[in-house]
Amino acid sequence: MTTHATRARREDAIGAPPQRPTLVPAERYYSPAFAALEVERMWPKAWQVACTIDHVFEPGDYFEYRCGPYSVLIVRGDDGELRAFQNVCRHRGNSLCAGSGSGLRELRCGYHGWTWDLRGALKRVPNRKGFGSLQVSEFPLIAASVDNWERLVFVNLDVNAMPLTDYLEAVPDDIAWCGLGDFRCYATMTIEVGANWKTIADGFSETYHIQTLHPELHRCVDDVYAPQAIWGHTGKSDQLYGVPSPHLKQPLSDEEVWDAYVATQGALMGVAEGTPFPSEERQPGQSVTDVIAERTRTFAAGRGVNLSWATTDQLMRLHQYNVFPNMTLLTNADHLTVITALPGPDPDHGEMVMMLWTRMPPGAPRSKPVDVRMTAGEADPGLVMTQDIAVLAGLQRGLHQPGFTHVVLSNEERRVINMHRNLERYLDLPTSDRMTGGEPA
């Protein structure tokens, strides 16, 4: 019988080639006018992952999510309900909270003392008689939409937005087998980058760059038979790890594939770089992929996690989901990383936020993630991610060159194309400003 995994291996990352490449105007990545249009028409209308459930688990927990000029305050009420509000005092516009924390009992503006309860109702106005017939019921906090999928909390400034479950389309059902709810986020890294948010997001929306930017990774991942799907706001790609890329001209030994995997992904199986291939552990008929998967199960068992249910394919095939506008979710049976790309103070700067997770045994104690901020030069989130970050500033600089008018995209980069397709729809761009090419052959 042909399994889903077997079929997936025979579908390549390109799919049906187009008649012509897709051309995207380069100025989208640096134009202040285009960034202003995103702020006006897209960011206030799209669902965005803001934090984790563990940031706002207990009554009085709060988290401020910033995206460009926008600030959304996510609060766990004393009634246990999760709510989101625009982070603004209704008096003079001061921000009510910054960062994240616990033990909040009310929302009091630090400027003039206007105070709201955790449900957003105005409670107190100092020297209220000076305002005449001010009705507190007329000045609640301005609500935003909030919902969660598994342990990810999403917000949308549009209170009439489509439900999050509809926005995520096929993604939740497609990865339901993995049990994302068993993962716990232990840290978030916010990395300040000299690149537009789209430049950041593009790097996690295609596998075309692996063969050049990630030579070590190229020796232990199949970037050719990496099938993709596009659903609308969302898309995905699958890549099998523990095998050499079919692009390689010379065959690699099992020891060489093992060494490449250890150098790039060794932490996932608790193996230090330089650890030799454990040939004595190999059972008859086992591939190097099977050996890595078994090591991963053993590593998980050491922290009380039973992965006996997970096949080699479920442990070694990375599922990479993209959710418009700015989220990438990378997962397999024992790995989860969530990456978002946020606009910075100008179109040539942005933030890359990495949520780092680990699968925990049932009933494991909950803890708040540690949130850290750093520059691109300070960040070292592993060999592959560091390579991804290092290239961003040069990419952004190149986009400005006067002779470079368009980004040229192949069908292998169709998740990048899909992001731009959604962006054009949200911004309601005229035909003259839209992508061209990419027609089916």
Side-chain angles (χ1 to χ4, degrees), residues 90-91 114-116 120-125 127-141:
R90 297 295 303 272
H91 172 219
W114 283 38
T115 305
W116 288 261
L122 182 59
K123 292 170 55 180
R124 292 190 301 276
V125 176
N127 303 328
R128 180 175 164 185
K129 71 176 184 179
F131 293 92
S133 60
L134 182 149
Q135 301 296 316
V136 294
S137 61
E138 295 178 1
F139 296 94
L141 293 180

Side-chain angles (χ1 to χ4, degrees), residues 20 48 82 92 125 165 186 242 255 325 329-330 363 365 417 433:
R20 297 184 300 163
Q48 302 150 59
L82 195 63
R92 291 267 294 277
V125 176
T165 52
Y186 60 88
E255 289 77 12
L329 185 149
L330 308 160
I417 296 170
D433 291 342

Side-chain angles (χ1 to χ4, degrees), residues 94-402:
N94 187 39
S95 297
L96 296 171
C97 288
S100 62
S102 304
L104 204 64
R105 295 186 176 181
E106 59 186 16
L107 293 161
R108 181 177 182 272
C109 177
Y111 196 7
H112 296 95
W114 283 38
T115 305
W116 288 261
D117 65 23
L118 299 188
R119 303 184 188 198
L122 182 59
K123 292 170 55 180
R124 292 190 301 276
V125 176
N127 303 328
R128 180 175 164 185
K129 71 176 184 179
F131 293 92
S133 60
L134 182 149
Q135 301 296 316
V136 294
S137 61
E138 295 178 1
F139 296 94
L141 293 180
I142 305 167
S145 296
V146 62
D147 202 351
N148 68 284
W149 169 50
E150 297 291 356
R151 305 189 75 81
L152 293 169
V153 177
F154 289 75
V155 295
N156 193 322
L157 283 166
D158 183 3
V159 293
N160 297 312
M162 72 167 66
L164 177 63
T165 52
D166 294 341
Y167 191 91
L168 293 174
E169 298 164 336
V171 173
D173 286 343
D174 195 75
I175 199 58
W177 64 270
C178 194
L180 296 184
D182 292 335
F183 286 87
R184 298 291 185 273
C185 180
Y186 60 88
T188 71
M189 298 172 58
T190 299
I191 304 167
E192 299 169 358
V193 178
N196 186 269
W197 72 270
K198 294 184 291 296
T199 307
I200 300 169
D202 287 355
F204 303 101
S205 302
E206 46 91 0
T207 56
Y208 185 34
H209 70 278
I210 289 177
Q211 57 190 308
T212 306
L213 186 61
H214 304 309
E216 301 87 355
L217 186 63
H218 201 223
R219 296 164 68 84
C220 63
V221 65
D222 185 348
D223 58 333
V224 174
Y225 297 108
Q228 301 190 70
I230 300 294
W231 293 306
H233 285 108
T234 61
K236 74 168 292 191
S237 170
D238 292 346
Q239 305 112 45
L240 182 65
Y241 280 67
V243 297
S245 169
H247 280 304
L248 296 175
K249 303 301 182 185
Q250 300 296 326
L252 297 183
S253 67
D254 288 347
E255 289 77 12
E256 290 173 314
V257 173
W258 167 271
D259 289 345
Y261 188 87
V262 169
T264 59
Q265 316 286 316
L268 300 182
M269 57 175 177
V271 173
E273 189 168 358
T275 301
F277 178 61
S279 55
E280 71 283 355
E281 296 179 11
R282 191 204 295 251
Q283 300 298 315
Q286 279 193 326
S287 65
V288 62
T289 314
D290 294 321
V291 173
I292 294 172
E294 191 55 38
R295 271 292 185 106
T296 304
R297 293 186 189 95
T298 301
F299 180 53
R303 61 180 191 274
V305 173
N306 181 2
L307 288 177
S308 62
W309 57 269
T311 65
T312 292
D313 191 83
Q314 288 172 324
L315 282 164
M316 301 302 297
R317 186 175 297 278
L318 187 69
H319 302 264
Q320 182 170 328
Y321 296 90
N322 297 96
V323 179
F324 179 82
N326 64 338
M327 175 182 140
T328 298
L329 185 149
L330 308 160
T331 190
N332 62 30
D334 197 40
H335 173 68
L336 176 62
T337 300
V338 177
I339 302 171
T340 58
L342 295 172
D346 59 64
D348 285 320
H349 292 84
E351 294 178 350
M352 175 179 161
V353 182
M354 296 179 63
M355 296 181 178
L356 308 175
W357 306 70
T358 188
R359 187 184 285 279
M360 298 296 288
R366 184 191 61 81
S367 62
K368 280 197 175 185
V370 176
D371 301 320
V372 296
R373 175 179 286 271
M374 64 197 69
T375 65
E378 296 167 334
D380 185 19
L383 175 64
V384 175
M385 287 292 186
T386 301
Q387 290 169 336
D388 285 319
I389 294 168
V391 77
L392 291 172
L395 272 168
Q396 189 66 27
R397 191 163 50 248
L399 289 162
H400 277 275
Q401 304 314 302

Side-chain angles (χ1 to χ4, degrees), residues 66-88:
R66 292 188 185 180
C67 178
Y70 300 117
S71 174
V72 179
L73 189 59
I74 305 163
V75 178
R76 179 71 67 176
D78 45 21
D79 59 353
E81 288 294 314
L82 195 63
R83 296 180 177 87
F85 307 103
Q86 295 184 27
N87 187 15
V88 57

